[in-house]
C-alpha cells in the first residue's frame, strides 16, 4: 500500500478539550493545542467531537438484506432462525459477497473501522459464506479490519457435518469460534465441545447465549465456570444475555459477579432484542435487552453492536452504531445526560478490548482510526444522530459525509 501523507486535525474536541491531532505513518503522533502542521495537510474540525473508530463486535453480514425473500415475525409464527435456515440453501458465494459488501460499505460510511462478523457454517450454507467473507477481508484491507467468527447458528448436534466444517474454517484461518448453545437440546454438551475445540485451535470463543426468558435454561454460570477452569479468562464473549433481565435481583447480582470474575465480555444487541423478543406476551411486553448499566457498574466489559441488517431478526437493522447508541439509551434506561456521555464507550473502547485490539484509542502512538462527528459532545451526537463528517482508517480519510438542509424561516417579530 502507498504511504499515507501526514495529516493534522485542527481544533477537534478530544477527551473533552479542544485539541489538535497530528497523524503520521497511519498513527497518532501528537495530541495537543496549537500543534505545528509542519507542511501536513490540515483538516479543520473545530469544535467537532473526535472519537476513536467505531467497532462492530457482533454482526451478521452473510444473512443481511434478505427480508424481502421471506416474511416477517408474528406471535406464534416461525422463529427468525427457521425463516433464515430455509433461505440459506440458496445462498451462493456471489450472493453472500454482494449483500455482505453492502453491509461493509454502509458500516464504513457510518464510522466503523473494525468489525468482527459471524459467518454461518452448517449443512445449509456449508463454507460458502466463509469464502465470500474472506474475499471481502482482502478487498477491504486498509479500509476496514474484518475479523471472522466460525459460527454455528444451527447448533452442532442436529446434523453430521457442522463440527467438521467449523474445524475446517478454523484451519483456513478464521480467528474465533462461535457457538449457540440454545440451538441444541444439550446445551452443556454444546458448550463443552466449543471449549475443547477452541483450546485445541488456540482461538477465543464467542457464544450467542441465554437469549430466552426461561431461567431454567441459563448457561452463563456454566460458561463462566468453564472459562475459569480452562484458563480462558478475557478470551470468552457472550452475546445477547437477555435472560439476565428476568432473574431475581440477588441471582442476577451473583451471575454478574461470575461474569466479571471470569473476565467474560458481554455484547448487547438491543435492536434485535426489541424486534424479536416477547412476541407472545399479551401484557407488560418484555424488552429482552440485557442489564447493560448493572453489568457496567459491576466492572464487566460490556458493548453494544448492530447484529442484524434487514432480515427477519431485524428488518430495519442498519450498521450504524450511533443509531444503536440511541436505541440503547431508550431501551436500557441509559438516557440521562451523564449516561449519554459514556455510551460511546460501548461501541469504541469496550468492544476494542473484547476483540483484543492493540494500539486503539486517541493517545499518541495509537493507530489513527478516527471518527469526527458534527457535534460538540456525545449527548448531542446521540440525540441528534449527528453526521460523521470524516472517518479515518490508519490516518487516511475513508469516508466524508455531509448533510444539507434548507429552511425558510419567518423573520423575528
Ligand atoms: Zn447474532
Amino acid at each position: 500500500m502507498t504511504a499515507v501523507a501526514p495529516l493534522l486535525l485542527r481544533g477537534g474536541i478530544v477527551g473533552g478539550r479542544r485539541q489538535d491531532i497530528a497523524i503520521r505513518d497511519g498513527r497518532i503522533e501528537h495530541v495537543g493545542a496549537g500543534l505545528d502542521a509542519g507542511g501536513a495537510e490540515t483538516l479543520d474540525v473545530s469544535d467537532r467531537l473526535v472519537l476513536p473508530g467505531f467497532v462492530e463486535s457482533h454482526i451478521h453480514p452473510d444473512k443481511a438484506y434478505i427480508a424481502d425473500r421471506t416474511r416477517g415475525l408474528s406471535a406464534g409464527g416461525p422463529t427468525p432462525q427457521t425463516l433464515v435456515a430455509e433461505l440459506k440453501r440458496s445462498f451462493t458465494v456471489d450472493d453472500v459477497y454482494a449483500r455482505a459488501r453492502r453491509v461493509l460499505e454502509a458500516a464504513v460510511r457510518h464510522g466503523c473501522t473494525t468489525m468482527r462478523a459471524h459467518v454461518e457454517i452448517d449443512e445449509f450454507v456449508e463454507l460458502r459464506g466463509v469464502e465470500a467473507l474472506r474475499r471481502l477481508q482482502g478487498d477491504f484491507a486498509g479500509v476496514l479490519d474484518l475479523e471472522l467468527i466460525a459460527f454455528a447458528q444451527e447448533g452442532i448436534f442436529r446434523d453430521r457435518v457442522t463440527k467438521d466444517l467449523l474445524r475446517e474454517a478454523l484451519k483456513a484461518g478464521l480467528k474465533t469460534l462461535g457457538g449457540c448453545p440454545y440451538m441444541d437440546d444439550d446445551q452443556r454438551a454444546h458448550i463443552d465441545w466449543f471449549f475443547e475445540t477452541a483450546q485445541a485451535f488456540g482461538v477465543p470463543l464467542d457464544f450467542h447465549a441465554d437469549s430466552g426468558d426461561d431461567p431454567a435454561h441459563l448457561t452463563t454460570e456454566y460458561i463462566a465456570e468453564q472459562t475459569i477452569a480452562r484458563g480462558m479468562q478475557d478470551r470468552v464473549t457472550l452475546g445477547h444475555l437477555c435472560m439476565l433481565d428476568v432473574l431475581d435481583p440477588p441471582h442476577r447480582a451473583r451471575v454478574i459477579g461470575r461474569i466479571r470474575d471470569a473476565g467474560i465480555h458481554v455484547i448487547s444487541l438491543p435492536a434485535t432484542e426489541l424486534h424479536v423478543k416477547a412476541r407472545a406476551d399479551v401484557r407488560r411486553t418484555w424488552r429482552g435487552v440485557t442489564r447493560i448499566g448493572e453489568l457496567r457498574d459491576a466492572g464487566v466489559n460490556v458493548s453494544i453492536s448492530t447484529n442484524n441488517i434487514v432480515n427477519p431478526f431485524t428488518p430495519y437493522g442498519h450498521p450504524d452504531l450511533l443509531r444503536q447508541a440511541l436505541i440503547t439509551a431508550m431501551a436500557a434506561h441509559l438516557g440521562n445526560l451523564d449516561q449519554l456521555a459514556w455510551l460511546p464507550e460501548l461501541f469504541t473502547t469496550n468492544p476494542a478490548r473484547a476483540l483484543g485490539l492493540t494500539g486503539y484509542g486517541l493517545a499518541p502512538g495509537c493507530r489513527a482510526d478516527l471518527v469526527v462527528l458534527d457535534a460538540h459532545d456525545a449527548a448531542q451526537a446521540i440525540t441528534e444522530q449527528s453526521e460523521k463528517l470524516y472517518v479515518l482508517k490508519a490516518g487516511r480519510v475513508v469516508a466524508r459525509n455531509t448533510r444539507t438542509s434548507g429552511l425558510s424561516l419567518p423573520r423575528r417579530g
Side-chain angles (χ1 to χ4, degrees), residues 54-55 84 105 113 118 121 134 155 166 211 213 227 232 312:
F54 301 170
V55 180
V84 174
E105 288 174 0
T113 54
H118 292 269
I121 293 171
R134 281 172 63 83
L166 290 168
S211 89
D213 63 350
T227 299
M232 283 191 64

Side-chain angles (χ1 to χ4, degrees), residues 58 60 208 240 269 307:
H58 181 130
H60 297 266
H208 283 58
H240 290 298
L269 310 159
N307 198 23

Side-chain angles (χ1 to χ4, degrees), residues 24-42:
R24 182 177 296 275
D25 297 330
R27 295 195 173 267
I28 296 172
E29 192 176 41
H30 299 294
V31 180
L35 296 182
D36 182 1
E41 187 193 340
T42 299

Side-chain angles (χ1 to χ4, degrees), residues 244-264:
L244 264 192
D245 191 53
V246 299
L247 301 181
D248 62 78
H251 189 187
R252 185 160 70 231
R254 272 202 315 279
V255 173
I256 290 175
R258 299 229 163 98
I259 294 170
R260 182 196 53 226
D261 294 346
I264 288 174

Side-chain angles (χ1 to χ4, degrees), residues 301-320:
N301 182 39
V302 59
S303 306
I304 55 174
S305 198
T306 296
N307 198 23
N308 280 290
I309 319 288
V310 190
N311 65 19
F313 292 89
T314 320
Y316 45 81
H318 192 56
D320 176 356

